[in-house]
């Protein structure tokens, strides 16, 4: 009977130690994942900003091209087909 009580105490001590290690692991994982999540968010924000800037540049070039083309067509009197872009 005495041996079973000792075994139960040893088992309980091992389980308690495992539980403490799991809690520590959970804390470390949460910290690491939080940092990774923040880095990913910043990377995606930067990529979206770059894409937005490129799109704005293309839109400005298209507007300038359209204005130049309209002025040229008006000056020559020729008719052209106009395309409309929509998003």
């Amino acid at each position: 009977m005495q041996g079973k009580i000792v075994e139960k105490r040893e088992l309980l001590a091992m389980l308690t130690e495992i539980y403490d290690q799991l809690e520590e692991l959970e804390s470390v994982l949460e910290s690491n994942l939080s940092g990774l999540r923040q880095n990913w968010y910043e990377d995606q924000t930067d990529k979206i900003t770059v894409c937005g800037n490129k799109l704005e540049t293309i839109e400005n070039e298209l507007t300038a091209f359209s204005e130049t083309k309209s002025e040229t067509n008006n000056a020559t009197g020729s008719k052209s087909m106009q395309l409309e872009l929509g998003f």
Side-chain angles (χ1 to χ4, degrees):
M1 187 73 168
Q2 194 68 293
K4 288 185 179 183
I5 293 175
V6 172
E7 289 176 8
K8 286 181 183 180
R9 286 183 183 167
E10 288 175 5
L11 183 59
L12 186 59
M14 286 190 294
L15 290 174
T16 303
E17 184 179 339
I18 290 171
Y19 179 79
D20 292 341
Q21 290 174 353
L22 286 173
E23 281 188 334
E24 184 179 338
L25 179 61
E26 180 182 22
S27 174
V28 170
L29 285 174
E30 179 63 31
S31 174
N32 287 343
L33 289 176
S34 177
L36 288 173
R37 194 177 307 117
Q38 183 65 29
N39 289 342
W40 180 81
Y41 178 80
E42 290 171 1
D43 288 345
Q44 297 308 312
T45 301
D46 292 343
K47 288 177 182 179
I48 289 172
T49 301
V50 168
C51 288
N53 291 340
K54 287 180 181 179
L55 182 60
E56 185 177 349
T57 301
I58 291 170
E59 288 174 344
N60 290 338
E61 289 175 0
L62 182 61
T63 301
F65 177 76
S66 295
E67 290 173 355
T68 304
K69 189 73 172 166
S70 292
E71 290 173 3
T72 304
N73 287 341
N74 288 339
T76 61
S78 67
K79 294 185 177 184
S80 67
M81 180 171 53
Q82 294 182 352
L83 299 177
E84 182 177 317
L85 296 177
F87 294 95

